[in-house]
Amino acid sequence: MKLWVVGHAYVAELAHGKLQALAALPEIDLTLLVPTAWRTALGLVPLSAPPAPPYRIVPSRLFRNGRIGAHVYRDGMRALRRARPDIVQA
């Protein structure tokens, strides 16, 4: 089953535990669509992924970076459409 997870929270390596557990399931083919960086009140948080994750990571620039619920993935959406995943969790 092709599963794509889309989320700005995954710019932090700490948040990848759930993804690693999902990717360990034999029937899951996992891909993460994540911003290259996320803007917070304290500044820009760059993408920090674990070394050699057991899933694909598709980094994307954002339009309206930092606006929860109002940001748009500028890159990666075309890849998402081409992949035609069974499930998208956003």
Side-chain angles (χ1 to χ4, degrees):
M1 173 183 334
K2 286 199 272 187
L3 167 63
W4 274 55
V5 174
V6 180
H8 71 278
Y10 298 103
V11 295
E13 183 178 347
L14 181 65
H16 286 243
K18 173 177 85 172
L19 301 177
Q20 291 174 341
L22 282 170
L25 297 172
E27 67 273 6
I28 298 294
D29 176 19
L30 179 63
T31 302
L32 171 65
L33 177 57
V34 64
T36 55
W38 180 253
R39 186 175 314 284
T40 70
L42 300 175
L44 210 56
V45 178
L47 173 59
S48 174
Y55 46 89
R56 283 177 303 289
I57 297 178
V58 178
S60 176
R61 297 173 299 153
L62 294 180
F63 177 68
R64 295 187 161 206
N65 193 336
R67 300 200 47 186
I68 297 173
H71 60 281
V72 177
Y73 289 83
R74 295 173 62 180
D75 313 311
M77 292 307 288
R78 185 171 294 150
L80 175 64
R81 281 193 287 281
R82 273 194 313 263
R84 302 179 57 89
D86 299 304
I87 299 173
V88 176
Q89 185 221 327

